[in-house]
Amino acid sequence: MTTSLYKKVKYIKIDETKYKINTDFRVAIRCFELIEDNSISDLERAYGIVTLLFGIDCPVNETSLGLAKKYLEYGNDNDSTNRERDIDYNLDQKYIIPSIRKDYHIDITSEKIHWHSFVDMIMGLSQFSLLNSVRDIRNTDLSKIKDRKEREEKAKLKKKFALPKKQTEEQKKILEEFERRLNNGWW
């Protein structure tokens, strides 16, 4: 599964059988919702992700899950696991939609856009886009601001635009176990 700027991956191949990927960015976002859904089992999560991406005929196994993971991780740098998240594709729609509309003149609410193109657009947004302004606020290191008044103002903004904590420690352990099984094989 290779990706280039001009040719986005549209199929996966498992045991000589090709499966069409549902490449719409909304499907990838739904997969992330499933990954974070603590009300379902790892098996239900795996079936949901593979079925959404590759269809009901695709086998759910280490290979298909590995390909799903690789597809969904497009654009993630290796440092992202240690940093606090600064974007939530669902909650930040009110910033994403106008930012992409302004920078690219595309209405993503009415366009079918490949997940990888969607990620590329977000990564390529201008420095002053609404989304990047919000992300900058979320990433502000208050300890580096010496002026007390400025630090208080930034702290208020940080609180206003903060993403809700999605995971309790127990939920985090469940997701880490799913990730471990995904990486080490569990079938």
Side-chain angles (χ1 to χ4, degrees):
M1 186 166 73
T2 60
T3 310
S4 74
L5 185 60
Y6 301 106
K7 185 178 176 189
K8 301 294 182 191
V9 64
K10 295 180 182 172
Y11 294 91
I12 61 164
K13 194 172 185 180
I14 300 174
D15 297 328
E16 302 304 317
T17 303
K18 279 174 77 171
Y19 298 94
K20 189 173 184 347
I21 302 171
N22 188 340
T23 61
D24 191 293
F25 75 97
R26 294 167 196 85
V27 172
I29 292 171
R30 179 66 184 119
C31 288
F32 288 116
E33 289 174 350
L34 283 175
I35 289 168
E36 294 181 356
D37 186 346
N38 299 310
S39 69
I40 61 175
S41 70
D42 284 346
L43 190 59
E44 291 169 314
R45 190 174 288 117
Y47 271 93
I49 292 166
V50 169
T51 301
L52 279 171
L53 285 176
F54 310 135
I56 198 160
D57 295 331
C58 184
V60 178
N61 56 31
E62 285 181 48
T63 303
S64 60
L65 281 169
L67 290 169
K69 181 177 187 245
K70 186 175 179 180
Y71 174 78
L72 291 170
E73 285 182 340
Y74 177 81
N76 278 353
D77 57 2
N78 293 332
D79 292 344
S80 63
T81 54
N82 296 332
R83 286 183 291 157
E84 186 133 349
R85 68 190 178 100
D86 64 359
I87 187 170
D88 181 297
Y89 294 118
N90 279 319
L91 296 177
D92 287 337
Q93 286 182 40
K94 61 188 170 210
Y95 311 125
I96 293 170
I97 294 168
S99 295
I100 289 176
R101 184 178 294 130
K102 184 170 188 251
D103 279 7
Y104 298 103
H105 309 288
I106 297 172
D107 181 3
I108 64 171
T109 62
S110 61
E111 298 284 332
K112 185 174 181 180
I113 299 170
H114 192 291
W115 167 243
H116 296 173
S117 295
F118 177 76
V119 172
D120 288 343
M121 284 191 279
I122 287 180
M123 291 185 338
L125 285 171
S126 66
Q127 176 184 357
F128 301 108
S129 68
L130 181 57
L131 177 65
N132 281 339
S133 296
V134 169
R135 291 174 83 182
D136 284 345
I137 291 168
R138 290 176 180 158
N139 290 315
T140 300
D141 185 350
L142 296 174
S143 69
K144 293 184 178 181
I145 301 173
K146 302 298 179 209
D147 182 67
R148 182 184 61 81
K149 187 176 179 180
E150 183 183 354
R151 188 173 49 251
E152 287 173 358
E153 289 173 11
K154 294 285 186 179
K156 285 179 188 174
L157 284 173
K158 227 176 133 88
K159 185 176 181 181
K160 177 182 177 180
F161 291 105
L163 290 171
K165 298 288 183 202
K166 282 195 167 187
Q167 303 169 346
T168 64
E169 283 305 310
E170 181 182 343
Q171 293 167 331
K172 203 172 192 177
K173 287 179 185 174
I174 290 169
L175 291 176
E176 286 170 358
E177 175 64 15
F178 178 71
E179 181 77 18
R180 185 190 64 74
R181 287 182 178 183
L182 186 58
N183 289 332
N184 297 330
W186 59 320
W187 298 97

